[in-house]
Amino acid sequence: SITIMIDNILESANMDESTRNRFLISIKREIINMNFLVQNLLKLSKFDANVVKFSKREVKLHDIIYSAYDKVNALSDLKNVNVKISGDDSSTLVCDEMWQIEALGNILKNSIEHTSEYGTVEVNYSENKLYTRILIKDNGKGIDSDDLPHIFDRFYKGKGGNTGLGLSIVKSIAESNGWGLKAYNADEGGAVVEIVIPPLRDKDVN
């Protein structure tokens, strides 16, 4: 589509300005999408090659979640989706902050995309002696039962559309760090993604 639009611009010397601008905006959008895809493929290739090194330190869970939300707040504003965040502000987590934000940002993006306009996405985090748990719940139509086992698969095409790469990256991060990761439909409607993070041993911390 980029090639066709560029050819049209080059071959139509008398193209009106509004059409030219529309083509240029479309080209820019396609390039942004391609760049996003390439970046995600590069991230996944690092996990496939087992070359990702995690640098772990203690950080506030509150800070991680709000940093993840900052990555997607433009999308939530565009769709008028209200993101509610709740939890104990004193909770901390020993993790690689960059990859933790990547994982939560991808889940939030997916939840917002599958929530109707003026819908709600809720993020709740809690901590006890056994684990840290993060729940991300939307009030969309939920996940089709046939799609549910595959939503973390790369490019899975189900009734709810293509899964893309974002949730596959989440799965790779979770597996590399020993997290529990699952998705399910809430009894009251909507989909839930749950992350359970066990405490790290001293030797796991860089």
Side-chain angles (χ1 to χ4, degrees):
S1 63
I2 290 174
T3 302
I4 292 170
M5 285 185 283
I6 290 175
D7 285 344
N8 271 300
I9 291 173
L10 293 175
E11 295 169 4
S12 303
N14 298 321
M15 180 181 290
D16 64 273
E17 186 176 352
S18 63
T19 302
R20 186 184 299 272
N21 287 338
R22 179 165 53 84
F23 279 1
L24 289 172
I25 291 170
S26 296
I27 290 169
K28 182 178 180 179
R29 182 177 62 247
E30 292 298 325
I31 290 172
I32 290 171
N33 290 338
M34 287 172 60
N35 183 63
F36 179 74
L37 176 62
V38 170
Q39 292 298 322
N40 280 337
L41 285 169
L42 288 172
K43 291 171 187 175
L44 281 171
S45 69
K46 290 181 180 180
F47 283 104
D48 291 343
N50 198 29
V51 296
V52 176
K53 303 298 181 184
F54 295 97
S55 179
K56 297 172 184 176
R57 65 184 183 90
E58 187 175 32
V59 290
K60 289 278 190 180
L61 193 49
H62 171 276
D63 293 342
I64 290 174
I65 290 173
Y66 273 91
S67 293
Y69 172 63
D70 284 343
K71 294 180 63 176
V72 298
N73 61 2
L75 177 61
S76 65
D77 289 344
L78 185 66
K79 289 196 65 177
N80 294 301
V81 171
N82 183 24
V83 178
K84 297 180 179 179
I85 300 172
S86 62
D88 183 355
D89 288 350
S90 66
S91 297
T92 60
L93 185 64
V94 177
C95 66
D96 186 305
E97 186 174 2
M98 182 190 76
W99 287 108
Q100 184 81 41
I101 292 170
E102 175 79 18
L104 293 176
N106 286 352
I107 297 171
L108 276 171
K109 179 177 180 291
N110 187 77
S111 296
I112 292 168
E113 287 176 341
H114 288 86
T115 300
S116 301
E117 190 173 12
Y118 299 104
T120 301
V121 172
E122 298 179 49
V123 183
N124 178 264
Y125 55 96
S126 59
E127 176 187 31
N128 59 40
K129 293 181 179 180
L130 299 178
Y131 56 81
T132 298
R133 185 173 71 167
I134 303 170
L135 292 175
I136 299 177
K137 179 184 181 301
D138 63 59
N139 66 348
K141 63 181 181 180
I143 306 168
D144 187 271
S145 58
D146 291 335
D147 296 344
L148 198 53
H150 304 287
I151 69 162
F152 296 106
D153 295 348
R154 299 180 197 181
F155 297 122
Y156 172 75
K157 186 173 183 178
K159 296 178 182 178
N162 293 337
T163 58
L165 289 172
L167 293 183
S168 182
I169 291 174
V170 175
K171 180 182 178 182
S172 294
I173 296 171
E175 289 177 344
S176 298
N177 285 279
W179 304 348
L181 174 68
K182 63 180 179 179
Y184 53 91
N185 290 315
D187 292 338
E188 64 275 18
V192 182
V193 175
E194 178 178 351
I195 298 175
V196 175
I197 305 172
L200 295 181
R201 298 164 294 182
D202 291 340
K203 73 181 186 67
D204 294 324
V205 182
N206 297 334

